[in-house]
C-alpha cells in the first residue's frame, strides 16, 4: 500500500435505510447522505441527509481487553435539523436537505455545530444529561403542583442518577439573508464569526446576532443577463481571521482580505491556470468549474476539486497550481454521455489528512481516490457492501480504458454512474476516514497498531 496512506480496513458500516418506500436502489431520496464532518478532536462524526436529519456518531473508548483495537463509532444522537418550507412570496419550495455541517471547537461539556439547508443556518447544542432533580417543594413526584396548604416542611432538592440522555437543542437560527441557495458555511478562527455563501453573495455573521449579517462579497451584476460566473465554495483561513477564499464556476479562486475593504469586491490574490487552447472543447467550461475548495491545516496551501482533477495551489503562486492529480481521466472520452445524464454537474468534495501529506476525493462506481503528495503515488479504493467484510483489507481497484482487460480490472464501460462518492471526511489526527456512498456511511481505519 501507499506509505502515508496505510492499509485501510473496514471498521463499521452504518446503513440509513430506515424509511419505507424505495427508489431503484432500494432507498428513499430522503436517506441519501449529503454531508459528512468530523469534529476538531475526531471523537464525533456528523452526517446530514436529504431528509433534513443530522446523525452524530461517537467513538467508543478503547477496550482494556482489546487494547490493539481502536474504538469504533456508534450512533450518539439523531435529530431533525431542518423541515421542508414554502416561500409564499416567491412560490418556492425550500428543501430540508442538509447542505453542510461545521463543528465549533469544544469549549465546555457540550458540543456545538452549524447546519444549513438552502436558506437557513442553525446553531445546535448537543449535550448530555445523566442526573435529574428530585424532591421539589411545590410539585409531587408525578410533576403535578401541590396544594400550598399541605406543604408543612421545606425539602432540599437532590440530584439523582438517570439513564444517559443526549439532547440536541437549537440555540440560534440565522435566516432571511440569502436570495440564492447556500453552498458553503465556514467557521472563522476567531470563533466569534462565521460566513455563509450562496451563488452570488457571501455573508459574515456573528454567532450572537441572528437578525443581521454583513455582506462581504457580492458578484451579482446590475443586469442578470450579464452574469458569467457563480460562487461555488468558500472557506476561511485556518489561522488568519481576516482572510478567506472563494471559488467560482469559471475555475478561478479569489483570496480576499477583510482588512483591505469592508466589501471584498476586489480580491487580494487571483488563482487561475491558463487553459491550453488545444484542449478546448464544448465541455471545457463545465468541467473546469470548481466544486470544492479547502485550505490545508497549515494554511499554506489551497486544494481545489473540479470535475476531472484535484489541484494544490501555493498561496504565493497565483499563475498555476503546484500539483495536479487526475482523479478519473478515463472519463474524458465519456463527457458527452455524462452531459446527457447530468453527471457532469456532480459536485465532488476533497479533503486533506491531518498532516496535509495525503488528499482524498471521490469518484463513480463507489470509488474514492487517495494521492500521496510525498511519494506521488495514488490508489483507488471501493466502498461497497459486497467487499467490506468486517476488518477486511481494502484491495486497490483499477479501471481499464481499452484493450485487453485483466482479471482484477473493471472496464470503464461498466462503471455505475449512479453510485458516486461525493462526500468524504478525514479524522483530524489519525488515519480514519468517513465515506458517504448514497445512503451508506463507511468508516475505514488504518490497520497499523
Amino acid at each position: 500500500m501507499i506509505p502515508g496512506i496505510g492499509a485501510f480496513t473496514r471498521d463499521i458500516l452504518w446503513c440509513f435505510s430506515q424509511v419505507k418506500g424505495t427508489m431503484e436502489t432500494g432507498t428513499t431520496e430522503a436517506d441519501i447522505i449529503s454531508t459528512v464532518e468530523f469534529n476538531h478532536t475526531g471523537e464525533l462524526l456528523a452526517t446530514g441527509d436529504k431528509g433534513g436529519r443530522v446523525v452524530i456518531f461517537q467513538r467508543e473508548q478503547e477496550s482494556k481487553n482489546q487494547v490493539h483495537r481502536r474504538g469504533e463509532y456508534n450512533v450518539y444522537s439523531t435529530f431533525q435539523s431542518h423541515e421542508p418550507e414554502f416561500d409564499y412570496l416567491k412560490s418556492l419550495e425550500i428543501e430540508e436537505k442538509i447542505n453542510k455541517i461545521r463543528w465549533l471547537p469544544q469549549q465546555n461539556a457540550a458540543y456545538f455545530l452549524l447546519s444549513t439547508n438552502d436558506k437557513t443556518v442553525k446553531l445546535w447544542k448537543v449535550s448530555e444529561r445523566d442526573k435529574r432533580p428530585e424532591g421539589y417543594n411545590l410539585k409531587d413526584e408525578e410533576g403535578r403542583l401541590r396544594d400550598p396548604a399541605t406543604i408543612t416542611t421545606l425539602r432540599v432538592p437532590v440530584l439523582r442518577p438517570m439513564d444517559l440522555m443526549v439532547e440536541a437543542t437549537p440555540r440560534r437560527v440565522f435566516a432571511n439573508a440569502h436570495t440564492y441557495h447556500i453552498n458553503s458555511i465556514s467557521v472563522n478562527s476567531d470563533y466569534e464569526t462565521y460566513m455563509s455563501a450562496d451563488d452570488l453573495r457571501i455573508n459574515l455573521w456573528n454567532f450572537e446576532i441572528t437578525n443581521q449579517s454583513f455582506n462581504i462579497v457580492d458578484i451579482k451584476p446590475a443586469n442578470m443577463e450579464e452574469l458569467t460566473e457563480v460562487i461555488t465554495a468558500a472557506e476561511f483561513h485556518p489561522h488568519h481571521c481576516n482572510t478567506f477564499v472563494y471559488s467560482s464556476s469559471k475555475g478561478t479562486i479569489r483570496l480576499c482580505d477583510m482588512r483591505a475593504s469592508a466589501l471584498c469586491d476586489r480580491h487580494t490574490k487571483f488563482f487561475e491556470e491558463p487553459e491550453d487552447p488545444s484542449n478546448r472543447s464544448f465541455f471545457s467550461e463545465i468541467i473546469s468549474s470548481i466544486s470544492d475548495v479547502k485550505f490545508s491545516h497549515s494554511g499554506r496551501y489551497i486544494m481545489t476539486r473540479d470535475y476531472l482533477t484535484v489541484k494544490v495551489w501555493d498561496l504565493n503562486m497565483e499563475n498555476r497550481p503546484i500539483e495536479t492529480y487526475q482523479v478519473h481521466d478515463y472519463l474524458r472520452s465519456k463527457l458527452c454521455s455524462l452531459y446527457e445524464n447530468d453527471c457532469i454537474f456532480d459536485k465532488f468534495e476533497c479533503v486533506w489528512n491531518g498532516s496535509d501529506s495525503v488528499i482524498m476525493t471521490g469518484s463513480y462506481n463507489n470509488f474514492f481516490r487517495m494521492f500521496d503528495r510525498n511519494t506521488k503515488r495514488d490508489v483507488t479504493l471501493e466502498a461497497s457492501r459486497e467487499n467490506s467484510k468486517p476488518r477486511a483489507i481494502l484491495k486497490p481497484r483499477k479501471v481499464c480504458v481499452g484493450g485487453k482487460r485483466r482479471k482484477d480490472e473493471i472496464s470503464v464501460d461498466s462503471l455505475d454512474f449512479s453510485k458516486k462518492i461525493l462526500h468524504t471526511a478525514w479524522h483530524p489526527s489519525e488515519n480514519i476516514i468517513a465515506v458517504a456512498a448514497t445512503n451508506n456511511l463507511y468508516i475505514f481505519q488504518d490497520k497499523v497498531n
Side-chain angles (χ1 to χ4, degrees):
M1 291 295 291
I2 297 176
I5 292 178
F8 280 91
T9 66
R10 174 195 179 273
D11 188 12
I12 182 174
L13 164 67
W14 176 256
C15 179
F16 283 81
S17 301
Q18 299 170 345
V19 183
K20 292 183 179 179
T22 60
M23 301 188 305
E24 289 183 1
T25 55
T27 180
T28 65
E29 182 81 13
D31 297 325
I32 295 175
I33 300 172
S34 54
T35 184
V36 185
E37 188 78 10
F38 279 102
N39 75 338
H40 289 72
T41 62
E43 294 304 303
L44 296 180
L45 171 67
T47 67
D49 63 26
K50 289 191 174 183
R53 294 176 298 240
V54 172
V55 180
I56 301 175
F57 300 86
Q58 184 181 44
R59 193 180 187 189
E60 289 189 350
Q61 299 300 316
E62 289 184 359
S63 170
K64 293 182 179 179
N65 300 326
Q66 296 175 305
V67 181
H68 67 283
R69 283 189 61 180
R70 280 173 279 182
E72 296 182 349
Y73 286 83
N74 293 313
V75 177
Y76 178 63
S77 177
T78 304
F79 59 93
Q80 189 73 29
S81 175
H82 287 71
E83 300 280 357
E85 300 174 42
F86 189 80
D87 187 335
Y88 293 97
L89 293 176
K90 298 180 180 177
S91 295
L92 187 69
E93 290 186 12
I94 303 172
E95 290 184 346
E96 65 271 38
K97 172 192 169 190
I98 307 297
N99 290 341
K100 295 289 179 183
I101 290 175
R102 290 290 180 265
W103 289 92
L104 276 68
Q106 190 176 5
Q107 305 290 341
N108 49 38
Y111 303 98
F112 289 87
L113 62 86
L114 288 171
S115 64
T116 183
N117 66 350
D118 287 340
K119 299 291 183 182
T120 305
V121 183
K122 294 184 179 182
L123 174 66
W124 290 89
K125 176 185 179 182
V126 181
S127 55
E128 297 180 354
R129 195 150 57 95
D130 59 359
K131 292 182 176 63
R132 66 168 177 263
E134 291 182 0
Y136 288 106
N137 289 285
L138 300 178
K139 294 180 182 178
D140 60 20
E141 299 304 325
E142 302 297 326
R144 293 174 299 214
L145 287 173
R146 297 169 61 187
D147 183 358
T150 63
I151 302 175
T152 57
T153 58
L154 180 65
R155 303 167 67 187
V156 178
V158 294
L159 292 174
R160 301 285 187 196
M162 60 175 280
D163 292 337
L164 178 66
M165 180 184 297
V166 180
E167 298 176 318
T169 53
R171 298 304 301 268
R172 304 277 190 278
V173 177
F174 306 89
N176 305 318
H178 285 277
T179 306
Y180 308 96
H181 292 176
I182 298 173
N183 55 47
S184 303
I185 50 175
S186 179
V187 179
N188 203 348
S189 58
D190 60 11
Y191 304 132
E192 293 182 4
T193 57
Y194 77 93
M195 68 177 174
S196 56
D198 65 24
D199 293 340
L200 299 179
R201 295 188 179 98
I202 300 177
N203 293 332
L204 181 69
W205 299 84
N206 187 294
F207 279 110
E208 301 300 322
I209 303 171
T210 60
N211 60 354
Q212 64 179 6
S213 61
F214 194 83
N215 182 226
I216 53 176
V217 172
D218 188 347
I219 66 169
K220 183 180 179 181
N223 182 1
M224 284 295 282
E225 293 181 359
E226 299 173 1
L227 182 66
T228 59
E229 63 180 336
V230 295
I231 298 168
T232 56
E235 187 176 66
F236 269 119
H237 191 282
H239 310 304
H240 305 312
C241 62
N242 54 283
T243 308
F244 67 93
V245 294
Y246 68 92
S247 58
S248 83
S249 57
K250 276 193 167 182
T252 61
I253 310 108
R254 291 171 174 84
L255 179 77
C256 300
D257 190 337
M258 292 189 289
R259 297 172 300 183
S261 173
L263 181 64
C264 299
D265 49 357
R266 293 185 180 178
H267 46 265
T268 305
K269 290 190 175 184
F270 183 75
F271 301 86
E272 183 179 26
E273 184 176 24
E275 185 184 12
D276 185 353
S278 61
N279 293 332
R280 181 76 183 169
S281 73
F282 171 78
F283 305 107
S284 295
E285 193 165 322
I286 301 174
I287 64 175
S288 67
S289 175
I290 294 174
S291 56
D292 196 17
V293 59
K294 294 275 175 59
F295 271 108
S296 62
H297 295 86
S298 66
R300 171 69 185 271
Y301 303 102
I302 305 170
M303 173 169 56
T304 60
R305 170 70 204 264
D306 56 39
Y307 190 68
L308 294 177
T309 66
V310 173
K311 296 174 181 175
V312 177
W313 303 76
D314 190 318
L315 286 185
N316 297 325
M317 191 167 75
E318 302 171 52
N319 60 338
R320 61 183 176 85
I322 58 171
E323 300 163 25
T324 300
Y325 301 98
Q326 300 293 335
V327 179
H328 39 216
D329 199 50
Y330 46 79
L331 295 182
R332 200 175 288 274
S333 62
K334 301 283 184 183
L335 292 179
C336 189
S337 58
L338 290 166
Y339 178 78
E340 291 173 354
N341 63 16
D342 284 344
C343 284
I344 201 170
F345 301 106
D346 286 332
K347 300 183 185 304
F348 293 94
E349 297 175 3
C350 52
V351 290
W352 303 86
N353 72 336
S355 61
D356 299 333
S357 61
V358 183
I359 57 183
M360 175 174 62
T361 190
S363 182
Y364 293 104
N365 208 72
N366 279 358
F367 289 167
F368 58 97
R369 303 267 283 139
M370 290 182 174
F371 303 93
D372 191 309
R373 298 180 60 210
N374 297 324
T375 64
K376 302 303 178 187
R377 292 200 236 170
D378 63 86
V379 67
T380 302
L381 301 172
E382 182 180 6
S384 70
R385 305 176 80 174
E386 288 75 21
N387 66 357
S388 58
K389 294 178 181 178
R391 317 208 70 77
I393 295 178
L394 286 178
K395 295 180 180 179
R397 301 300 305 269
K398 290 185 179 180
V399 177
C400 172
V401 180
K404 194 173 181 180
R405 183 171 64 89
R406 295 182 181 176
K407 184 180 179 181
D408 58 342
E409 292 181 336
I410 182 171
S411 170
V412 67
D413 296 318
S414 58
L415 294 175
D416 188 344
F417 293 105
S418 66
K419 295 179 179 179
K420 56 193 79 171
I421 305 291
L422 300 177
H423 314 288
T424 57
W426 203 307
H427 190 288
S429 58
E430 298 182 35
N431 266 351
I432 299 176
I433 59 173
V435 177
T438 318
N439 65 313
N440 296 322
L441 176 67
Y442 297 87
I443 300 177
F444 302 99
Q445 67 178 25
D446 194 330
K447 75 170 186 176
V448 182
N449 295 334

